[in-house]
Amino acid sequence: MRAPAPKYAANDGVIAAAQAALGDMLIEATDLVGEVNLTVDRARLPQAMIALRDGAMLQYQALMEIAGVDYPERAERFDVCYMLLSYTRNHRIRVRVTTDEVQPVPSVTSIWPVAGWLEREVYDMYGVLFEGNEDLRRILTDYGFRGHPQRKDFPLSGFVELRYSEAEKRVVYEPVQLAQDFRNFDFMSPWEGAEYILPGDEKAPAQPAPAAPAPKAEEKPAAPEAKGAPTPASAEAVKEADDSVKPVKARVRKPKTTDSVKDTGIGKATPEAGAEPADPDVPQADAKQPRKPRAPRKPKGEE
């Protein structure tokens, strides 16, 4: 059995119904990857939303989400996307308008009151202004935050950083100061003597430079570690090195020659038990019983 959730209605006839309801307010309509996208005139956005909500073949009663998209290379760099849902037709569409940092977008809070918080989020993240929103404040970032984090040109490190000051007993804001320099690299290998100083090196005590090693007297070439290895030693030196090595004898009192039961202990249940019976599951009558421990002797005079 498949999932009981209902399938979404097909997109057939949605664009035609939207064109009939919106008229010249509709700038572009596309049906890509199973989604209907409508681009409408920014100045007449509330009228277009009412037409999509009350249209006989549309009936998109609910505003589910408002999202922003940033395209810095365009003159109107921002897209404001409205996701609408039709309860009666079980269908979704996306309505889109374009704007920039200055031109405001008409608010739809008079149609859907939930749009107040959604518009505040787009304003906080992208800096898009909404005309008619009576409470257009930041909703996700902190007080006094500079910039809009979701813009493509916003630095990853931000402009200010906060920390708790023990001296002032409060949270203070300071300009961002990176602990490392990202653009000053020294690509010399460590054994070639890099000139940069790592954090913490200033705490290490200064050590004098090591003295140059004294020249060693000329030594005779050593014998090779294995026969046949390349070496500058002469044949006489190699022979003397081989003769100087004495064979090492194994320290064994009695060499092992057999693997009998007496030597290995195989077939004995315990050190005191005798030989293993023919059938371990059937006890034998003549099997030797384990020897009982002998009673201790009584001291003389007590007998």
Side-chain angles (χ1 to χ4, degrees), residues 6 64 73 115 243 247:
M64 306 303 296
E73 66 277 1
D243 295 340

PDB file of all heavy atoms in Angstrom, residues 6 64 73 115 243 247:
ATOM      1  N   PRO A   6      -2.413  12.498  -0.162  1.00  0.00           N
ATOM      2  CA  PRO A   6      -2.945  12.687  -1.527  1.00  0.00           C
ATOM      3  C   PRO A   6      -1.882  13.247  -2.458  1.00  0.00           C
ATOM      4  O   PRO A   6      -0.982  13.983  -2.042  1.00  0.00           O
ATOM      5  CB  PRO A   6      -4.096  13.670  -1.326  1.00  0.00           C
ATOM      6  CG  PRO A   6      -3.722  14.427  -0.090  1.00  0.00           C
ATOM      7  CD  PRO A   6      -2.996  13.456   0.789  1.00  0.00           C
ATOM      8  N   MET A  64       2.361  30.026   2.233  1.00  0.00           N
ATOM      9  CA  MET A  64       3.165  29.093   3.003  1.00  0.00           C
ATOM     10  C   MET A  64       4.548  29.635   3.352  1.00  0.00           C
ATOM     11  O   MET A  64       5.074  29.345   4.425  1.00  0.00           O
ATOM     12  CB  MET A  64       3.333  27.776   2.227  1.00  0.00           C
ATOM     13  CG  MET A  64       2.025  27.149   1.804  1.00  0.00           C
ATOM     14  SD  MET A  64       0.918  26.840   3.198  1.00  0.00           S
ATOM     15  CE  MET A  64       1.845  25.638   4.116  1.00  0.00           C
ATOM     16  N   GLU A  73      24.712  40.297 -10.078  1.00  0.00           N
ATOM     17  CA  GLU A  73      25.045  40.814 -11.407  1.00  0.00           C
ATOM     18  C   GLU A  73      23.878  41.516 -12.078  1.00  0.00           C
ATOM     19  O   GLU A  73      24.077  42.193 -13.095  1.00  0.00           O
ATOM     20  CB  GLU A  73      25.546  39.660 -12.289  1.00  0.00           C
ATOM     21  CG  GLU A  73      24.508  38.606 -12.624  1.00  0.00           C
ATOM     22  CD  GLU A  73      24.343  37.574 -11.534  1.00  0.00           C
ATOM     23  OE1 GLU A  73      25.037  37.703 -10.494  1.00  0.00           O
ATOM     24  OE2 GLU A  73      23.521  36.636 -11.716  1.00  0.00           O
ATOM     25  N   ALA A 115       2.224  37.024   6.819  1.00  0.00           N
ATOM     26  CA  ALA A 115       3.298  37.579   6.002  1.00  0.00           C
ATOM     27  C   ALA A 115       4.146  38.588   6.766  1.00  0.00           C
ATOM     28  O   ALA A 115       5.258  38.908   6.325  1.00  0.00           O
ATOM     29  CB  ALA A 115       2.718  38.243   4.754  1.00  0.00           C
ATOM     30  N   ASP A 243      84.598 -13.344   9.788  1.00  0.00           N
ATOM     31  CA  ASP A 243      85.293 -14.260  10.686  1.00  0.00           C
ATOM     32  C   ASP A 243      85.154 -13.857  12.146  1.00  0.00           C
ATOM     33  O   ASP A 243      85.240 -14.690  13.052  1.00  0.00           O
ATOM     34  CB  ASP A 243      86.780 -14.340  10.309  1.00  0.00           C
ATOM     35  CG  ASP A 243      86.982 -14.959   8.917  1.00  0.00           C
ATOM     36  OD1 ASP A 243      86.034 -15.640   8.452  1.00  0.00           O
ATOM     37  OD2 ASP A 243      88.051 -14.740   8.310  1.00  0.00           O
ATOM     38  N   PRO A 247      79.402 -18.030  16.016  1.00  0.00           N
ATOM     39  CA  PRO A 247      78.051 -18.622  16.025  1.00  0.00           C
ATOM     40  C   PRO A 247      77.509 -18.704  17.440  1.00  0.00           C
ATOM     41  O   PRO A 247      78.236 -18.982  18.388  1.00  0.00           O
ATOM     42  CB  PRO A 247      78.281 -20.009  15.413  1.00  0.00           C
ATOM     43  CG  PRO A 247      79.728 -20.302  15.665  1.00  0.00           C
ATOM     44  CD  PRO A 247      80.450 -18.995  15.595  1.00  0.00           C
TER      45      PRO A 247
END
